[in-house]
Amino acid sequence: MFAMTTIQISAERMELDSLAQVRSGAAKVELTDDSRQRINRCHEALVAILESGETVYGINTGFGRLATERISPEDLEQLQTNLVLSHAVGTGPPLSDRVVRLVMLLKIHSLAQGHSGVRLELVEMMTRLLNEGLLPVIPSKGSVGASGDLAPLAHLAAALIGVGQFHVQGETVPAQQALQTLGLSPMQLGPKEGLALLNGTQVSTALAIDGLWRIRHVFQSALIAGAMSVDAAMGSDTPFDARIHFSRAHSGQQQCAAIYRTLLSDSQIRQSHVDCHRVQDPYSLRCQPQVMGACHDQIQFVGEVLLDEANSVTDNPLIFPDTGEVLSGGNFHAEPVALAADNLALAVAEIGALSERRIALLIDAHLSELPPFLVEQGGLNSGFMIAHVTAAALASENKSLAHPASVDSLPTSANQEDHVSMATFAARRLDGMIDNTETILAIELLAAAQGIDFRRPLKTSQFLESIHAEIRKRVDHYGKDRFFAPDIETIKQLITEEADFPPSIPVTIW
């Protein structure tokens, strides 16, 4: 998908394309000279604070409820090690390599802004590990999204000090052994470095960005499936008329209507029933621009929020070298990410729900005027009957998963951290929801292709004929009942991000 490139880590704003390149493993990262200077300058400010003997939270005190405990200078390094080891309590399956690459990138970028006080050698070590493909094994569960993603980021930090594991070229390797392959020794953390690594929203943000990228791909597949279903059901293209949509001021709706017009342009099937008896189509066909347009606008807004977060410094406290001040705040609170991930969950649930309704329409002979359940000799053959049940089950599951995680909060750290974001779960559950929606869309594409088969010799538009041909290269027409699950899985794999399908829609989406 991407040619190998190098991303410069600087004060400049990172863009989504750069994040996507690192996520896919198609980019290396490099600190600019300016970043190195900022890191060194901030660390020098930290050293000056230590030499002054001033008591400063996170530098020479305990943490959370123990923030009033002063730590002696000789124990400061042990304090950071203890912090990492005690906080490495994550559980659950490990995060994917895609997500961990993003976590590493976001943490490197945050530290490189020069407000965290870490040494340059720590950031350089992380940069080398990312570039060499040594990815810390990070459990997916255990964060409430404030104070940052403490437990998962502790596992990242633990790997740097030789505790835990790395994932290297598909294998899980003990941390010290993996470091030795690069001639590296475990890092001895200095003052504030453990805290700077643990505090931050990088895991929540990485999970949400991973979900965002997948949802953008799902969205494109849903537009194509929906357009195919319009022709399969002999629906009208009148509801996509530009005049309707320019009377309503939502840009996403206008864009989606234009896409449907393009996808259905010059369809023989449409021309065959311009003067038919139908007055209006069901909403799942007719209102696609309105529903998909609303989802589009949510997805686009979320992209802006997550990009802001990706370019932020979210550990605590923050050091401001210009004045030598250390300010304790709450940038680690991941509420923006939680709300953004909740919005993505709503969008992907709606995309799947609308697709499920179109499948139901296609298998209903009274609505689609196609053979019942899209198969010849109905009764002897059940056709798409239970494939639709699967789609309904997944759409229903997504509705439950779409319940906002951000409305929940449980106090932690003896009520010091008395309101948390739940951003990590908000973002993590997107993976399963997207998987569900991909399956629903695979079933719809098969159903729509089946419906178009029944409209022969008429053809759909040139673009949709190319999609139909791609489907039929992989899955034959459903002439009689057969083992159906492999067909669904085949088309699902076709529309996943990794397959780089469908071909680009000839209208700009994002």
Side-chain angles (χ1 to χ4, degrees):
M1 294 177 64
F2 298 104
M4 184 61 74
T5 187
T6 300
I7 306 299
Q8 299 290 317
I9 303 297
S10 68
E12 297 297 318
R13 184 176 174 86
M14 290 191 296
E15 298 298 335
L16 280 176
D17 283 348
S18 296
L19 297 173
Q21 287 174 312
V22 174
R23 169 181 174 266
S24 68
K28 296 183 181 297
V29 300
E30 181 178 77
L31 295 170
T32 62
D33 289 341
D34 180 59
S35 290
R36 295 170 186 275
Q37 291 170 8
R38 286 197 309 276
I39 294 168
N40 284 330
R41 188 164 176 240
C42 189
H43 180 65
E44 289 167 4
L46 171 68
V47 171
I49 291 167
L50 288 170
E51 290 176 348
S52 74
E54 183 182 354
T55 300
V56 180
Y57 170 71
I59 296 176
N60 51 15
T61 71
F63 309 103
R65 267 291 191 184
L66 303 175
T68 58
E69 299 294 326
R70 174 71 185 254
I71 308 300
S72 62
E74 61 269 20
D75 289 331
L76 292 183
E77 290 186 353
Q78 188 62 48
L79 171 69
Q80 299 302 310
T81 300
N82 289 352
L83 176 70
V84 170
L85 297 178
S86 67
H87 284 51
V89 292
T91 187
L95 298 176
S96 69
D97 285 355
R98 293 191 319 263
V99 172
V100 175
R101 288 189 197 103
L102 279 173
V103 173
M104 294 281 283
L105 170 64
L106 297 178
K107 179 57 76 174
I108 290 166
H109 188 269
S110 178
L111 297 177
Q113 300 313 300
H115 291 293
S116 302
V118 302
R119 292 166 296 163
L120 177 60
E121 62 188 273
L122 174 63
V123 187
E124 288 179 330
M125 178 184 187
M126 294 179 66
T127 301
R128 185 176 178 194
L129 292 172
L130 176 58
N131 288 340
E132 297 286 350
L134 272 67
L135 304 175
V137 174
I138 302 176
S140 56
K141 299 182 182 182
S143 173
V144 295
S147 300
D149 295 312
L150 294 172
L153 287 173
H155 285 270
L156 183 157
L160 302 183
I161 65 173
V163 177
Q165 299 168 315
F166 282 95
H167 201 228
V168 186
Q169 297 181 347
E171 295 186 4
T172 301
V173 181
Q176 290 200 34
Q177 178 182 331
L179 292 172
Q180 287 171 2
T181 64
L182 296 183
L184 296 173
S185 299
M187 178 64 65
Q188 177 64 56
L189 297 177
K192 196 182 177 292
E193 289 182 337
L195 186 61
L197 289 169
L198 270 58
N199 251 323
T201 65
Q202 285 79 29
V203 172
S204 299
T205 307
L207 283 163
I209 291 172
D210 185 65
L212 171 72
W213 208 259
R214 291 186 64 197
I215 288 169
R216 283 164 55 129
H217 192 83
V218 164
F219 185 87
Q220 179 169 304
S221 298
L223 291 172
I224 291 170
M228 284 187 70
S229 289
V230 169
D231 255 7
M234 283 195 162
S236 173
D237 61 356
T238 299
F240 310 138
D241 190 296
R243 292 168 292 181
I244 295 172
H245 301 284
F246 279 102
S247 71
R248 198 181 195 189
H250 296 292
S251 61
Q253 176 180 326
Q254 294 166 6
Q255 283 183 263
C256 288
I259 290 170
Y260 287 116
R261 291 194 300 274
T262 299
L263 296 183
L264 291 163
S265 177
D266 298 324
S267 165
Q268 292 178 8
I269 295 174
R270 172 56 182 145
Q271 293 305 313
S272 73
H273 64 95
V274 169
D275 298 318
C276 68
H277 64 278
R278 289 188 191 173
V279 178
Q280 291 182 326
D281 293 324
Y283 291 178
S284 61
L285 297 181
R286 184 172 20 135
C287 297
Q288 289 187 78
Q290 288 82 0
V291 177
M292 293 296 286
C295 292
H296 171 278
D297 289 346
Q298 285 299 309
I299 295 167
Q300 192 153 8
F301 168 72
V302 166
E304 295 169 1
V305 172
L306 295 180
L307 196 54
D308 283 345
E309 190 72 4
N311 285 283
S312 298
V313 181
T314 57
D315 66 290
N316 185 65
L318 298 181
I319 301 171
F320 295 87
D322 287 347
T323 61
E325 291 178 281
V326 181
L327 303 181
S328 186
N331 280 2
F332 50 68
H333 200 296
E335 193 75 7
V337 180
L339 292 171
D342 281 344
N343 279 329
L344 283 181
L346 293 173
V348 77
E350 281 295 273
I351 293 168
L354 195 64
S355 176
E356 180 275 326
R357 286 292 80 204
R358 292 191 296 264
I359 299 167
L361 184 157
L362 291 173
I363 67 174
D364 186 336
H366 298 290
L367 292 173
S368 68
E369 299 178 9
L370 291 165
F373 301 105
L374 299 174
V375 71
E376 297 95 339
Q377 293 185 281
L380 174 62
N381 295 304
S382 295
F384 281 68
M385 181 188 296
I386 306 304
H388 169 250
V389 172
T390 294
L394 297 178
S396 181
E397 182 177 304
N398 274 357
K399 292 174 186 177
S400 296
L401 289 170
H403 177 80
S406 57
V407 300
D408 187 26
S409 178
L410 282 174
T412 59
S413 193
N415 284 311
Q416 175 76 2
E417 298 158 5
D418 58 350
H419 181 275
V420 297
S421 70
M422 298 298 176
T424 322
F425 171 68
R428 178 166 52 83
R429 52 81 192 265
L430 294 173
D431 195 58
M433 295 183 71
I434 295 164
D435 187 77
N436 287 343
T437 297
E438 286 175 343
T439 303
I440 297 168
L441 289 170
I443 294 169
E444 183 185 4
L445 284 166
L446 286 167
Q450 189 82 353
I452 287 172
D453 288 345
F454 285 121
R455 303 301 184 192
R456 296 304 191 209
L458 296 173
K459 292 186 176 183
T460 182
S461 69
Q462 183 176 348
F463 182 88
L464 294 180
E465 281 291 335
S466 71
I467 301 296
H468 182 275
E470 290 294 331
I471 293 170
R472 285 289 170 253
K473 281 181 187 176
R474 295 160 175 82
V475 175
D476 292 336
H477 174 82
Y478 197 98
K480 61 181 180 180
D481 283 345
R482 62 178 185 245
F483 187 26
F484 205 168
D487 294 354
I488 297 170
E489 185 61 27
T490 295
I491 301 306
K492 180 182 175 183
Q493 292 305 313
L494 178 65
I495 65 174
T496 58
E497 176 191 351
E498 290 75 15
D500 204 19
F501 177 90
S504 296
I505 291 177
V507 176
T508 300
I509 301 179
W510 307 109

